């Protein structure tokens, strides 16, 4: 997705434009999950490699360099990402990853494979760009391997590190980068953009996503599944087994996210009478009235613990059933 087509990132681009004239060798681009940090960094990489940039420094989209970049074949660009995000794409200099193993970590071999790329001059006599996403997917050993390149970068080389949890990076890595935080997008701009993408109820989807545009867009295909889950959570007489079965199309990490946001709204309604993620949904307030604040807090703590297992549950259906049984005990304490 081209940065030029995402109008709600225009404020971030204006801030970047002020920085571009004195660009350091490494930038840590930070934003909340789903707020477009990767899309922004990808657009910045295209702009840095563009041979005929626009007056606002964005990529022209028409030159040979932009064509190669769009095809993923620019010789002066490398993207370092976990196998789970790159699919079957292979990092140059590495053996292709086994299909049955899709790591969610950036492996130290991926960073070490950059040595040959950095050892030679640029092919187009311009800049060389390395995008690391998400940077927090590197363990300590991998970060230390990257640190060597950050400390002594070749000329005309720019590292773009993208992170939603920058605190998980080593202090030595953060200190070698200039921090750049994306401003919060304007909700009205985002809603218009989501509508242009074909979303029927962009405001509601954006609210459920906590204001994160890319997360709202990613959830569009599962909007009906999320709607059924919220409908079940709104019904005090729901059947945990049936609802767990109906929710199997939702990835378990997103399933837990949905329960966490629902639980947060119950607590917020209990404490202040407001809803953040489900505005205008009367059933959320009605459910909140059935619960004690301390019990909702305990449920949210249980969900936080479950979150660590959500990506790889031993049995997804049983995992979902267990969480929904905990939720039923919350809203019907006298029955269970």
């Amino acid at each position: 997705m081209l940065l030029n087509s995402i109008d709600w990132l225009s404020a971030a681009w204006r801030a970047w434009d002020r920085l571009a004239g004195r660009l350091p060798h490494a930038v840590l681009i930070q934003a909340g999950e789903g707020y477009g940090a990767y899309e922004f960094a990808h657009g910045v990489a295209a702009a840095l490699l563009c041979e005929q940039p626009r007056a606002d420094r964005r990529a022209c989209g028409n030159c040979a360099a932009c064509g190669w970049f769009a095809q993923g074949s620019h010789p002066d660009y490398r993207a370092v990402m976990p196998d789970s995000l790159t699919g079957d794409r292979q990092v140059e200099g590495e053996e292709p990853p086994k299909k049955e193993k899709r790591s969610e970590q950036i492996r130290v071999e991926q960073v070490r494979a950059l040595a040959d790329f950095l050892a030679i001059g640029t092919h187009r006599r311009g800049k060389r760009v390395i995008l690391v996403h998400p940077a927090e997917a590197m363990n300590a050993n991998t970060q230390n391997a990257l640190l060597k390149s950050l400390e002594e970068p070749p000329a005309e080389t720019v590292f773009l590190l993208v992170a939603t949890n920058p605190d998980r990076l080593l202090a030595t890595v953060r200190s070698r980068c200039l921090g750049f935080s994306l401003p919060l997008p304007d909700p009205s701009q985002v809603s218009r953009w989501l509508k242009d993408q074909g979303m029927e109820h962009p405001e509601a989807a954006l609210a459920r996503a906590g204001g994160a545009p890319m997360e709202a867009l990613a959830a569009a295909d599962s909007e009906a599944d999320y709607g059924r889950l919220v409908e079940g959570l709104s019904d005090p007489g729901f059947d945990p087994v049936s609802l767990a079965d109906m929710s199997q199309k939702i990835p378990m990490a997103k399933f837990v996210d949905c329960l966490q946001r629902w639980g947060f709204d119950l607590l917020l309604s209990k404490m202040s009478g407001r809803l953040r993620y489900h505005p205008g949904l009367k059933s959320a307030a009605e459910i909140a009235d059935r619960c004690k604040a301390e019990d909702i807090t305990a449920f949210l703590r249980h969900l936080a613990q479950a979150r660590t297992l959500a990506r790889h549950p031993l049995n997804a259906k049983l995992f979902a059933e267990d969480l929904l049984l905990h939720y039923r005990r919350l809203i019907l304490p006298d029955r269970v």
Side-chain angles (χ1 to χ4, degrees), residues 110-223:
Q110 291 176 266
V111 171
R112 289 173 179 165
L114 294 172
D116 291 341
F117 175 62
L118 296 172
I120 59 176
T122 60
H123 292 74
R124 302 292 292 180
R125 298 182 180 180
K127 291 189 182 300
R128 170 171 37 210
V129 180
I130 298 170
L131 191 155
V132 182
H133 164 71
E136 61 266 41
M138 296 184 289
N139 62 26
N141 288 337
T142 306
Q143 291 185 51
N144 280 320
L146 181 65
L147 188 60
K148 297 177 182 178
S149 298
L150 293 177
E151 289 174 335
E152 298 179 2
E156 298 301 317
T157 298
V158 178
F159 287 86
L160 301 174
L161 278 66
V162 181
T164 57
N165 293 292
D167 290 343
R168 291 171 56 184
L169 296 175
L170 298 175
T172 48
V173 171
R174 295 199 306 270
S175 67
R176 300 304 191 280
C177 304
L178 176 70
F180 181 84
S181 298
L182 267 64
L184 291 175
D186 179 87
S188 60
Q189 275 191 320
V190 176
S191 293
R192 287 195 298 271
W193 179 76
L194 289 173
K195 192 170 185 178
D196 290 342
Q197 309 309 307
M199 188 170 290
E200 294 185 7
H201 306 289
E203 292 84 4
L206 191 61
R208 287 197 300 271
M214 304 311 296
E215 185 172 340
L217 182 63
D221 292 339
S222 303
E223 193 167 5

Side-chain angles (χ1 to χ4, degrees), residues 60 81 178 213 279 299 314 326:
C60 71
M81 296 187 285
L178 176 70
F299 178 62
L314 293 177
H326 275 79

Side-chain angles (χ1 to χ4, degrees), residues 20-42:
R22 45 188 174 83
L23 190 67
H25 73 278
V27 183
L28 177 58
I29 298 174
Q30 311 169 49
E33 187 172 356
Y35 278 87
Y38 169 74
E39 288 74 17
F40 180 79
H42 192 260

